[in-house]
Amino acid sequence: MKTMVTLGEILIELNALTSGPLRNVNYFEKHVAGSEANYCVAFVMTGNKCVYLGRVGNDEFGKNAVEWLRGKGVIVDKIKIDPNPTGIFFIQRDYPIPLHSESIYYRKGSAGSKLSPEDIEEDLVREADLVHSTGITLAISSSAKDTVFKAFSLNRERSFDTNIRLKLWSPDEARRNIIELFKEYPLKFLITDVDDASILVGRSDPDEAVRLLREYADVIVMKQGPRGASVYYDGGKYFAHGYSVPVVDVVGAGDALGGTFLSLVMSGYPLDKALDYAIVSSTLNVMIRGDQENLPSLQDIEAFLREMNKS
Amino acid sequence: MKTMVTLGEILIELNALTSGPLRNVNYFEKHVAGSEANYCVAFVMTGNKCVYLGRVGNDEFGKNAVEWLRGKGVIVDKIKIDPNPTGIFFIQRDYPIPLHSESIYYRKGSAGSKLSPEDIEEDLVREADLVHSTGITLAISSSAKDTVFKAFSLNRERSFDTNIRLKLWSPDEARRNIIELFKEYPLKFLITDVDDASILVGRSDPDEAVRLLREYADVIVMKQGPRGASVYYDGGKYFAHGYSVPVVDVVGAGDALGGTFLSLVMSGYPLDKALDYAIVSSTLNVMIRGDQENLPSLQDIEAFLREMNKS
Amino acid sequence: MKTMVTLGEILIELNALTSGPLRNVNYFEKHVAGSEANYCVAFVMTGNKCVYLGRVGNDEFGKNAVEWLRGKGVIVDKIKIDPNPTGIFFIQRDYPIPLHSESIYYRKGSAGSKLSPEDIEEDLVREADLVHSTGITLAISSSAKDTVFKAFSLNRERSFDTNIRLKLWSPDEARRNIIELFKEYPLKFLITDVDDASILVGRSDPDEAVRLLREYADVIVMKQGPRGASVYYDGGKYFAHGYSVPVVDVVGAGDALGGTFLSLVMSGYPLDKALDYAIVSSTLNVMIRGDQENLPSLQDIEAFLREMNKS
Amino acid sequence: MKTMVTLGEILIELNALTSGPLRNVNYFEKHVAGSEANYCVAFVMTGNKCVYLGRVGNDEFGKNAVEWLRGKGVIVDKIKIDPNPTGIFFIQRDYPIPLHSESIYYRKGSAGSKLSPEDIEEDLVREADLVHSTGITLAISSSAKDTVFKAFSLNRERSFDTNIRLKLWSPDEARRNIIELFKEYPLKFLITDVDDASILVGRSDPDEAVRLLREYADVIVMKQGPRGASVYYDGGKYFAHGYSVPVVDVVGAGDALGGTFLSLVMSGYPLDKALDYAIVSSTLNVMIRGDQENLPSLQDIEAFLREMNKS
Amino acid sequence: MKTMVTLGEILIELNALTSGPLRNVNYFEKHVAGSEANYCVAFVMTGNKCVYLGRVGNDEFGKNAVEWLRGKGVIVDKIKIDPNPTGIFFIQRDYPIPLHSESIYYRKGSAGSKLSPEDIEEDLVREADLVHSTGITLAISSSAKDTVFKAFSLNRERSFDTNIRLKLWSPDEARRNIIELFKEYPLKFLITDVDDASILVGRSDPDEAVRLLREYADVIVMKQGPRGASVYYDGGKYFAHGYSVPVVDVVGAGDALGGTFLSLVMSGYPLDKALDYAIVSSTLNVMIRGDQENLPSLQDIEAFLREMNKS
Amino acid sequence: MKTMVTLGEILIELNALTSGPLRNVNYFEKHVAGSEANYCVAFVMTGNKCVYLGRVGNDEFGKNAVEWLRGKGVIVDKIKIDPNPTGIFFIQRDYPIPLHSESIYYRKGSAGSKLSPEDIEEDLVREADLVHSTGITLAISSSAKDTVFKAFSLNRERSFDTNIRLKLWSPDEARRNIIELFKEYPLKFLITDVDDASILVGRSDPDEAVRLLREYADVIVMKQGPRGASVYYDGGKYFAHGYSVPVVDVVGAGDALGGTFLSLVMSGYPLDKALDYAIVSSTLNVMIRGDQENLPSLQDIEAFLREMNKS
């Protein structure tokens, strides 16, 4: 069993029960979400351990987040309680773009954004097998950014998902901050996608973008939406195709892919097989509302693949 | 800003929450509908003004209709309150034909069907930029039919959607009445589809049908279901393809297309661009229950098109 | 086992899922209802047989009604299919009067209202142990009224629930028609309440009203809402108190009481005991939406009474 | 018809679909709320006009608020669009205190809190028959507070509901700010309750509290929860008892009472009758989720009272 | 009208309201199911009669099953009440395999499994036009197996659907028992699919498998999932293609196909046309939760086919 | 912090979404339940630790139970996975007895019933501050009964809730087995109610029953339904009254009371205060579906009591 430490903000997600503009939606379904929490649960579901570092509010939504993650097997005893409210977001689905989802945040000044370097138990981070965070954590506050920098300074086994959210910062700010991190702390694993790569290095062709990003990371996963994803590594590239399924909500699909990929690689799977499995995780993820409910076990991923190979 | 006056019947729609024959459906979702009301909201959502002429009952459903339309920005102060009940209809979805919907009306003798020529404020109609109605209004009562004739006599900027509902009249009656109207009051805009055209002029090939209909209208929009739609005009034709999306309920899609098309043309868009945009409106419309909840603004149509052009 | 024949209109009920004015209600729950159908199911649930005479539309709601009643054990093979639509109604709950319900009908010209004397199989009615109808059937059409008169002419074991609905006729019409029926065909059982009695004989005091109604019926049940009900018979009167329970929807409570009462009396229970049991039936009925779902078996009535006697 | 101008923040309410601590609630129902908006709709439903001054975000929830209020007949064209998000709140019901509700706000830095003196069209306020605001508007920001002061400086027909929310400010801040307002701008109508009065003047006995508050207002309405409410006026006092009904959510009940009361008094009803009617409004309000859906018309209030007088 | 007698276990189905692993599903929807009951309703919906032989518990779910089937027109008066509980099962949808469903049974020792040879009224079986059962009934208990053997001994018009459920027995047990039955009682109709055939005769190619199964049955229907189905008969084979529709739950689709096929063949339709129609039945079936709610009438099948031929 | 070890069966609860006989209920809501699990969560919510000893199936419901309880803070790592299915039960509400609930079990041969003495880690039980079980665990299997006996042999700090379920055993069996346990292993805490006591010692008067039970336990809590509860101890008795609240589902109320009471007593609260607080726990419990969702923290109990003392 490997241990990943992840730093980020847990959010409560309120997903529209019906499609269309939120003004005409009458009911919302509550879920626990947040990119790093999604990574963590994906990691745990496939047989490893994950310690979550972050803050939640001293409120029902904070308790909700901690209870849910603890239930799923995430190690939550380092999560701090903060006097600010737990961040939340709404999801509008299929409007104005079919099969796409839009997030509306209420997270400014949230408990999660108060994450700060002092929240880090240094030994814990030092002894972890992997330290992971995302562009979201860099964006939510300068103290949160400092916390990522500090954590990355303590352990060379680093993973990062770019996850650029243009509601949190401008393309410029994103590029400047992320590249700053990469330069200071080169990565073992970089998970990104075509849109983010284009912001970071100005190239939208995956191969081109990776060529420019290679200096920052040993292994790069380039997500390509429903088409699939590629993994680039020393001297090689492997493309895993996606599966065509009815899409309910794409939010969290990238985290599912990333978290499952990291877990399997840490467990010793070869990169290509890990990516094949990780694609299953994101495929199942888009079929439901909620980011963590369909994160699969190894056994379930294998059942999926057996069936697909049959027909 | 242009002003359209439309004449018709607002209905309360009770859409089955689950697919299949209504006998096995336990829950229904309420919406405000009615072809002309759908046109009106589509017109308003894209930046113009719409005055609704019609009657609703002195009951909760009538109040519901007026409040909803007023909320959406429709000018409702000319709507009359009638002692008869507000008309309603149920929608059965996906049975017996997948992706199709069947309407079951409770509108006989309804408030809306009592629309009568005296409901027309003549100056209002005269000064409108466009006067619109549909085959449904011709069919619901002879006083409603007379009202359309009177309105069309007051203003030469006429638009008409054939919208033949065979639960309201026979093909013969539909043809006789609609052609009578067309002969007396030639149109600026005719919106129709292959089935209706076949009833009216006995041709199911779109080009053929339009050739015979051209004498009645300057511009003809021929809806062709999920495939898209064509607009025919003096010496030209433009076909706009549809988009493939998960279909929930097709009721109202034609009105979405027609209302958005008219609005954009009135705003000065060229016919082809107006049709491209209008197709987005009907595409979004079929993804939800309800006829008006997904009617898009110009900005949302453009977001949709940007995304489609990307991939 | 005794057999009751009942004549009336089966309706589909659309009960508001949330309280308040219907304009603000978004979801409706479908049930099978209609006073005589409620009587019939109450009669069957307590161990007897009931034949329903009436018409439903050739539509999903008509099929729904027949399938449901057949499922509950009602003999439905005499129900006729009529080209008109099955009648429906909506229920608005708790507004403007808390714990009260308001019915909004869409039943004018319905299949059920086309009930006509030729629908009666004479031998069937002659041989029944009891023939039952209500003021609603008198009110919905003159052919329906004629049918009740004809049925009552064929069998002296008559039961009638006044059930005056002021949305169907005026107090004057109600009184004139009902008293005409009573004079021509005196009853074995009259089920009524204080409001109806006041319309019929101008007295709102139960004892007073019964004194004036006694000439028309051997046994009179006077329903008194949540307080309970009284049964008057040759030389006697028995009052059964109601039970205080959370009220969801009172529609159908009187039918529950009447149907259970008639069934038990026909099975040989003394009038007082039958009324005690019948009160349980109406008590359970007000705790849910739907008129027939909580109609109890004898065994369930007894379980209720055992519990109440315990505490 | 009288015109009230009201200043405040419209909020989107997300009401728990099931009772209990929010961590265990899975679904939320959306409503439009906000104390001043509630007042406004209550005022309009009973036959008068209300102009809303405030700001909403340039987002779906802001559009939702404006469309809903416009639908209900509120004059919304003075509402400004602000770049900050529309404020929202969640309601937790029946826990930890049965029949009570707890509000959890996400409104810090909201569009609504940006209300500022320049939002006031002076003539509009000067010509209104009544200018109304609440303690909430004083509490949300200093610019909002300034706006209330400015509005009150323009018109002597002032109304104020104390509505002290201890999640927005301390008792001390509340008292200081509210009394400052009262001293500078004495009121025509003061609506308050026992808890607020105790914070303002240190007395929890209604009569005592009113004695100390009388210098600030001509007419004082003292709400006393389910027991009812009293109105105090020059030399007199009238107590109107409450009605016992099943309670779903008490949020908004005080606004219902206040808005209906002001409207009837402005329409010329005597104070006691206005209060009797206003109590009906708050009684209906607690029977549902949502603050505005059960606000009654005069006709519905009278139907309620007729029924209560009957039994 | 032809009469089929069928022997089996009626189950109550609890279908997940949302997709994904059941641990994360909060709501379940109740339906009546069970392979033989599905066959029976499909048979009745297309114009024939079906007698159900089986047992249900003396509980609400047993009563539910009987009332529902009686409502649908199934002859239920031979169903016995057993002291054991009515069997139930849960359906998990789309996880871990998209568009697939998994059944979780609670049926061990159930009332239905107590079916025993003495439950057979011999004349009834002898005089039936067809006697049908499935592999499930063979698997649930030895007394149930004996009952099938006895019924098949009484009538040579036998039909059997292999329906091998590997949660009820091993492939070996399935093969041994089913082949034993086939050897003793050759069939008129065998309905099976590729997976079951492979277990029975070790061949997964449909033609190959049928070649080996032909000795046991005159007519063999080989279901091939969404692709369609083939019917093999004396010297011939006919393939009917499936239709591509949005899949909600595939449980019961095979029974829909089989029951409709048998009914039409018994009514005199040629085998190919019967199969074309039967495919419509299974196509509609997969579009909803529930196994019986979308079973079509002949008229609805024809409406479906007319539409498909149009486009 | 004190540690309680509890032995029992965790069940998945499927609670009817609407009241009435289950045959007419269409939707069910899933919860985690089981008397000992309820005790455990009540214990943890009020600040102590609880170790659960038991078995769940290797299925989604088993995983559901473990994840939920782990989320709530229960120590679940001693729970064993068993090849049999996780037990479940349905709850029928308000029928046939208003405000009562009926449980329908599917737990025969369940994983939980396989609890066996070898599941006990002896040191864990020896070192616990309290060992708790209930009559249900005695009833589900002889191995489960043996497990309770063994656990009680290891630690003298014993607690027991009689919880006699007549669907699991006869009154005679219940009395014989429970008294056998009591005689062998006298208790520190006995939690019971009037019905159970009457089965055990033939007295339904609380004081009388306690007089006969005193030889088996130091402290006896006698639950008396909505009226409240009494605690009897050496030389004393204290009665705590209940609170009148709207009742949704009473299942689990007794466990809420018992679990909170034990926790507070273990934390050092005097018996009377512990009972006052425990009553709050059961009061909140009956207001929702679900047995554990409303179990309160100390802080929430105190908020409740403060409010009640105010009015």
Side-chain angles (χ1 to χ4, degrees), chain F residues 7-27:
Chain F
L7 304 97
E9 176 170 16
I10 315 175
L11 296 170
I12 293 296
E13 166 186 325
L14 292 144
N15 207 318
L17 213 51
T18 43
S19 292
L22 290 195
R23 78 186 87 173
N24 297 325
V25 168
N26 289 314
Y27 293 94

Side-chain angles (χ1 to χ4, degrees), chain D residues 40-194:
Chain D
C40 221
V41 174
F43 204 80
V44 168
M45 284 298 297
T46 40
N48 286 304
K49 293 173 69 173
C50 187
V51 181
Y52 196 93
L53 295 185
R55 297 187 177 196
V56 296
N58 186 20
D59 49 27
E60 282 296 320
F61 288 157
K63 289 180 178 102
N64 190 173
V66 170
E67 291 185 0
W68 170 267
L69 291 178
R70 187 198 290 133
K72 292 299 173 194
V74 173
I75 297 166
V76 297
D77 46 306
K78 305 301 175 197
I79 294 176
K80 290 205 176 164
I81 307 301
D82 186 274
N84 290 286
T86 305
I88 66 171
F89 71 117
F90 292 83
I91 294 181
Q92 171 174 300
R93 297 183 291 113
D94 292 324
Y95 185 91
I97 302 169
L99 311 189
H100 286 230
S101 296
E102 195 169 326
S103 294
I104 295 93
Y105 295 126
Y106 283 79
R107 69 192 300 180
K108 210 167 149 182
S110 67
S113 73
K114 304 303 177 188
L115 177 68
S116 111
E118 85 235 29
D119 297 353
I120 288 187
E121 212 166 290
E122 300 201 359
D123 282 355
L124 184 95
V125 174
R126 262 192 212 102
E127 288 156 21
D129 299 298
L130 193 66
V131 182
H132 174 78
S133 195
T134 74
I136 297 168
T137 310
L138 292 197
I140 52 177
S141 73
S142 65
S143 72
K145 178 188 159 184
D146 293 348
T147 316
V148 176
F149 274 72
K150 178 171 170 198
F152 275 16
S153 76
L154 295 167
N155 191 323
R156 303 181 59 101
E157 304 298 306
R158 306 172 193 119
S159 163
F160 192 81
D161 185 326
T162 52
N163 258 339
I164 298 176
R165 298 284 177 265
L166 294 178
K167 292 190 173 172
L168 299 179
W169 52 6
S170 67
D172 249 29
E173 287 172 312
R175 186 183 50 250
R176 209 173 45 243
N177 281 282
I178 292 176
I179 296 295
E180 177 194 350
L181 178 77
F182 287 2
K183 288 200 161 143
E184 199 154 344
Y185 301 112
L187 306 166
K188 186 83 171 264
F189 301 103
L190 167 61
I191 294 104
T192 190
D193 63 17
V194 176

